[in-house]
Amino acid sequence: VDKSRLETKVHGAWMGRICGCLLGKTIECIKTDELIPFLKETGNYPMHRYILHTDLNDDILSKYRFRFASRCYADKVDGMPMDDDTNYVVLAQQVIEKYGRNFTPYDVSRAWISLQSKDAYCTAERVAFCNFINGYEPPESAKYKNPYREWIGAQIRSDFYGYINPGDPETAAEMAYRDARVSHVKNGVYGSMWVAAMIAEAYVTDDVKRIILTGLSQIPSTSRLHKAISDIIENYEKGVSAESCIADIRTRWNEESGYDWCHTISNAEIVTAALLYGNKDYGKSICMAVGACFDTDCNGATVGSVLGTAIGYNAIPSYWKDRVNDTLESTLMGYNSVSISDMAE
């Protein structure tokens, strides 16, 4: 690890994640049949910028099912609004500060209870939270009456373990494993380990394929997630176009199904495609991740986090960074509004 670049890389990781999340947050839950016409109508297709409040008019508000009026927009905020994707980075930092690097899954469960209310958690995390209250400890808390246990939740909360293990993907993945076990099993856990390991590797290289493969090296080669990501890489190397790759993902996964829409594997495929086809261009990469639909804010955040680490803070264009005004809001008690640069430091 080049220690002289640690600051710009970890700052790039935080900012990259936050800007990617903001891009996707505006249209979270939209479907392709409405997103593409909307982007074309507003001069943003293929997506290349934030979706703005000034893009809206009475005609758009009346003819789309998606409730554009109730969303947050980059030109209407003075910081990154609260989002579960970014809450988890702050939360993981508190876990490390309170319990140290040898924290246990049980420690994670105690931090969840003490720092946020149930309403701050979604799907698998909310079930696990309720299981904690009812006396179930990890890993049982991940399994009991939890139909979301292989969904994307653990994958979106593992970034911090990559941030604090530069050049050490194995330790990053192992920490992510401990965290993920409170709410997820199998591929739900593997997605978390994959992302943390990728970020750790991104400290020592900007070779995107190497970063992805290093992440894969930390999960079972016999898992469905490993095969799915490997297939995306193989098709990329065969010359399959970005458009065909995303179309194939949409064909195999039905975005109208909540299971498909929020599963770890479907969204990990989108993350992989955006990283590969984005060719280290930050804006292009997060726009591909978000423009593919499915879990837009999660995928924009993950791609932004990995790439932000790889290229560093200074390589992220000011257009994306300036909108958040170095401010991150969260639902964590005592951390309602924090400076992004201070968190990175």
Side-chain angles (χ1 to χ4, degrees):
V1 175
D2 179 357
K3 293 185 178 180
S4 69
R5 297 205 68 210
L6 278 178
E7 183 178 356
T8 185
K9 280 183 170 277
V10 75
H11 197 181
W14 277 85
M15 186 61 75
R17 179 167 186 77
I18 287 166
C19 296
C21 184
L22 178 59
L23 176 66
K25 185 177 179 67
T26 303
I27 51 172
E28 184 179 12
C29 299
I30 200 170
K31 301 298 187 294
T32 308
D33 64 344
E34 291 208 308
L35 177 61
I36 292 177
F38 170 76
L39 293 176
K40 289 180 176 179
E41 188 172 355
T42 55
N44 191 14
Y45 184 82
M47 184 186 290
H48 56 274
R49 60 170 174 81
Y50 284 117
I51 295 170
L52 305 175
H53 190 265
T54 52
D55 289 329
L56 306 181
N57 54 48
D58 291 340
D59 181 47
I60 286 174
L61 294 176
S62 64
K63 73 180 181 181
Y64 288 100
R65 300 186 308 274
F66 187 75
R67 296 182 178 180
F68 285 103
S70 61
R71 314 303 294 192
C72 79
Y73 293 89
D75 56 341
K76 298 289 282 186
V77 298
D78 56 4
M80 175 62 198
M82 179 281 300
D83 190 273
D84 59 334
D85 291 77
T86 49
N87 284 344
Y88 286 124
V89 191
V90 183
L91 199 159
Q93 190 168 36
Q94 304 316 304
V95 169
I96 295 295
E97 289 189 1
K98 183 172 183 179
Y99 299 105
R101 293 173 64 88
N102 293 319
F103 70 91
T104 66
Y106 181 79
D107 294 334
V108 174
S109 72
R110 298 310 93 180
W112 283 23
I113 292 173
S114 64
L115 289 171
Q116 294 187 123
S117 72
K118 174 178 69 70
D119 291 342
Y121 301 95
C122 302
T123 61
E125 285 73 19
R126 184 172 295 186
V127 172
F129 184 97
C130 293
N131 285 340
F132 302 155
I133 301 301
N134 288 324
Y136 292 90
E137 297 180 6
E140 286 73 19
S141 55
K143 303 172 185 177
Y144 184 67
K145 293 187 176 181
N146 189 352
Y148 315 109
R149 58 191 178 270
E150 287 192 83
W151 283 21
I152 199 175
Q155 181 166 291
I156 70 172
R157 62 176 202 258
S158 65
D159 295 54
F160 189 76
Y161 305 119
Y163 296 174
I164 63 171
N165 288 291
D168 187 357
E170 184 173 0
T171 300
E174 195 274 331
M175 286 187 175
Y177 169 79
R178 278 183 261 154
D179 184 300
R181 290 183 73 210
V182 307
S183 56
H184 286 73
V185 302
K186 299 181 181 179
N187 293 287
V189 174
Y190 307 152
S192 174
M193 298 168 68
W194 172 63
V195 168
M198 282 200 295
I199 292 170
E201 183 70 4
Y203 274 99
V204 298
T205 182
D206 62 359
D207 182 329
V208 171
K209 181 185 172 184
R210 172 178 158 182
I211 289 169
I212 296 169
L213 290 175
T214 298
L216 285 184
S217 75
Q218 296 302 320
I219 69 173
S221 60
T222 54
S223 64
R224 289 178 293 140
L225 178 63
H226 193 290
K227 183 180 187 308
I229 294 171
S230 298
D231 286 348
I232 298 292
I233 297 172
E234 181 180 350
N235 288 334
Y236 169 78
E237 292 181 332
K238 286 180 178 177
V240 173
S241 69
E243 294 75 16
S244 296
C245 176
I246 297 299
D248 178 58
I249 293 172
R250 290 186 182 135
T251 298
R252 291 182 291 101
W253 298 90
N254 178 11
E255 65 180 330
E256 296 295 333
S257 161
Y259 176 86
D260 285 19
W261 183 88
C262 210
H263 199 279
T264 294
I265 298 177
S266 54
N267 289 285
E269 289 181 4
I270 291 171
V271 167
T272 303
L275 286 170
L276 289 170
Y277 289 99
N279 196 29
K280 293 190 289 189
D281 181 314
Y282 177 81
K284 180 179 179 181
S285 299
I286 61 171
C287 284
M288 284 187 64
V290 171
C293 284
F294 289 77
D295 206 332
T296 54
D297 62 333
C298 294
N299 295 335
T302 298
V303 169
S305 190
V306 173
L307 196 56
T309 310
I311 65 177
Y313 178 82
N314 293 332
I316 300 175
S318 297
Y319 170 80
W320 300 104
K321 297 183 292 192
D322 292 348
R323 304 279 177 161
V324 300
N325 195 32
D326 193 38
T327 302
L328 171 64
E329 298 173 2
S330 84
T331 58
L332 273 74
M333 286 182 281
Y335 295 88
N336 300 113
S337 181
V338 297
S339 160
I340 297 167
S341 55
D342 285 351
M343 298 301 281
E345 184 179 348

